[in-house]
Amino acid sequence: MPAPSHFDVAVVGGGSAGVAAAVSAARSGARTLLVERSDILGGNVGNAFVHTICGLYQPALESEARHAHPGFPQHFAEGLRAAGAAGSAERAGRVYVLPIQPAGFAEFAAKLCARTQGLEVRTRCELVAAALTADRAAPNALSATSAPAGETRFTASVLIDASGDASLGWLGGAEVAAASPDQLQLPSLIFRMAGVDTSELSGFDRLRLSVAIAGAVRTQELPDGCESVLVRPGASAGEVYVTLNVPRPESAPYAPLDPVQLAELEQRARASAARVADFLRRTRPAFAGSRIQAWPRRIGVRETRRLVGVVVLSRSDVLEGRAHEAEVAVSTWPIELWHDHRRAEFEYPTGPCSIPLGALVSRSHPRLGMAGRCLSASHEALGALRVVGTALATGEAVGIAAALAADAGIALGEVSAHEVRRRILELAARGEP
């Protein structure tokens, strides 16, 4: 077997956090590898049809949306709009969101990575083994499989887990945590419909639609499990995205890392979604000529494992808008928890919450960083920190920190948070991507 390729930084997971981390590390001068198990980039956006970016903006206290992150997240959003893959920021109560086109998001991410010098991307590549070491003189070793090449090996000075499931850390023996099965946030199934008169779906019309669907469950016109359905117009004419929040399995504890259980949940959710689509066609004139245009590649999982970092962000950190001296990113989204598929629990913070570098550095393995859904936080805090806009910000921060650590031959925790913030502003001034 040939000797493994060596990289300064290796990022596992090509979702929002992973793309931000890999591009930011490469732009900071590190030879970088991005490994993604799917054949596309974009994570839950590209694969599960997440069609809004949450967490990009400051709370909706003003008439116009203001970006919360001055660097990669803002420029990524502006790039999406320029590419026709995003609309304008929309107010949703006390927050702003950015409506996006999932396929356009994935395509934009792929093009951005392709034009980033020093970055190698391997899609259809599943991580199967990891040997992590604290010895600065020894590289971390990873193995992955891809078709048709089979198993490949590579090493890296610094690793970043952006897998969403803490897969890299778990395989390498890093300290991980997870909520109990009855507390884990429930998934959703999002599908796309075409042929809809979207002029009838503005403002309270969408709310009335959700109420009508919930009422049909109570009268048994629709099956249990359809109580929480949200409809949002898409980017193209006549297109809508329909979100069905999925109930807990009845016969076993919820286990989102069990592929058999996930397949069963998805199968039942698709059957329910088809019933919802039929109900809309029969009862709503705006949907009379509609059809299901596309199913997602996978169900949208909200929470699995997370890594335990030097700092573990808490519910009070988020709600009190607590500032940290070692801040490298911020969170502005409320704590949003889907413990019950019928409704979410929301708790709103008093202001932006600092995300310190220590929340992006493994406590047990000093050359392992993390970003996105598997960063270091309590279950409640993760309800705010897991969203796409914040994932872009944490990915950028840890990507820059990883490049600095690899260049200096130091652990991630030894990197100056001040220097990371300075580099974020420096890269932001370039106006990229």
Side-chain angles (χ1 to χ4, degrees):
M1 183 177 289
S5 301
H6 180 74
F7 296 86
D8 299 319
V9 176
V11 181
V12 174
S16 305
V19 167
V23 170
S24 299
R27 285 179 175 172
S28 299
R31 183 170 183 250
T32 305
L33 172 68
L34 175 61
V35 174
E36 165 56 37
R37 61 176 177 161
S38 175
D39 60 341
I40 64 170
L41 300 179
N44 269 351
V45 175
N47 290 286
F49 282 172
V50 171
H51 50 282
T52 56
I53 298 182
C54 304
L56 270 179
Y57 304 105
Q58 298 286 358
L61 303 176
E62 302 178 7
S63 58
E64 294 184 359
R66 292 192 300 116
H67 277 277
H69 317 285
F72 187 91
Q74 177 174 345
H75 292 304
F76 190 90
E78 290 170 350
L80 284 176
R81 291 192 64 188
S88 299
E90 294 181 358
R91 186 165 186 164
R94 296 165 65 176
V95 295
Y96 282 103
V97 299
L98 182 70
I100 57 173
Q101 206 279 332
F105 183 104
E107 181 181 1
F108 181 76
K111 289 180 177 179
L112 173 61
C113 288
R115 68 172 186 260
T116 300
Q117 293 185 355
L119 173 59
E120 180 177 332
V121 178
R122 299 182 188 177
T123 55
R124 301 183 181 89
C125 194
E126 181 88 25
L127 186 71
V128 294
L132 310 185
T133 174
D135 182 356
R136 299 180 190 184
N140 298 288
L142 304 178
S143 296
T145 59
S146 58
E151 184 172 345
T152 58
R153 297 180 301 148
F154 51 92
T155 61
S157 299
V158 181
L159 301 172
I160 297 173
D161 192 332
S163 65
D165 300 324
S167 298
L168 168 55
W170 180 76
L171 284 169
E175 189 176 354
V176 298
S180 62
D182 62 335
Q183 285 293 302
L184 282 170
Q185 292 203 65
L186 293 171
S188 64
L189 180 84
I190 305 174
F191 60 100
R192 189 170 70 235
M193 297 186 71
V196 180
D197 181 1
T198 54
S199 66
E200 299 295 321
L201 296 178
S202 59
F204 284 107
D205 293 326
R206 300 207 303 266
L207 177 60
R208 295 187 187 100
L209 202 59
S210 296
V211 170
I213 293 170
V217 176
R218 289 192 295 272
T219 62
Q220 299 185 332
E221 190 174 358
L222 286 173
D224 290 342
C226 299
E227 293 90 343
S228 177
V229 174
L230 305 173
V231 178
R232 177 182 287 275
S236 302
E239 173 186 85
V240 299
Y241 287 95
V242 184
T243 301
L244 173 72
N245 287 296
V246 179
R248 294 186 187 279
E250 298 177 357
S251 59
Y254 175 45
L257 292 171
D258 179 351
V260 175
Q261 186 185 94
L262 272 189
E264 292 174 351
L265 286 176
E266 182 171 350
Q267 184 178 20
R268 288 200 295 270
R270 284 196 182 206
S272 295
R275 293 280 299 275
V276 168
D278 180 65
F279 171 81
L280 292 172
R281 279 191 291 268
R282 290 187 291 102
T283 63
R284 289 294 183 273
F287 286 81
S290 67
R291 68 187 187 282
I292 295 178
Q293 186 182 48
W295 294 104
R297 290 163 168 255
R298 65 183 184 226
I299 200 167
V301 172
R302 289 186 170 99
E303 180 183 8
T304 57
R305 287 181 299 241
R306 57 192 184 277
L307 283 152
V308 178
V310 176
V311 175
V312 180
L313 290 169
S314 68
R315 173 179 175 272
S316 59
D317 284 325
V318 173
L319 294 182
E320 295 172 14
R322 192 164 293 156
H324 290 266
E325 184 179 352
E327 176 187 298
V328 291
V330 297
S331 166
T332 60
W333 194 252
I335 293 178
E336 176 188 352
L337 297 173
W338 287 91
H339 292 148
D340 185 327
H341 74 280
R342 291 166 292 191
R343 68 186 66 84
E345 307 160 22
F346 284 92
E347 290 186 283
Y348 288 86
T350 58
C353 161
S354 285
I355 301 174
L357 183 59
L360 308 179
V361 178
S362 167
R363 184 164 69 187
S364 59
H365 289 73
R367 290 193 291 154
L368 171 63
M370 59 275 202
R373 199 176 73 204
C374 58
L375 56 68
S376 180
S378 70
H379 161 69
E380 293 83 3
L382 191 68
L385 300 168
R386 64 178 175 81
V387 296
V388 173
T390 310
L392 292 168
T394 56
E396 176 184 34
V398 77
I400 292 171
L404 291 171
D407 181 60
I410 60 176
L412 272 168
E414 297 176 74
V415 172
S416 162
H418 173 77
E419 179 63 14
V420 173
R421 292 195 300 269
R422 189 189 71 78
R423 294 290 184 99
I424 288 172
L425 294 175
E426 180 181 279
L427 291 173
R430 299 181 189 177
E432 298 176 306

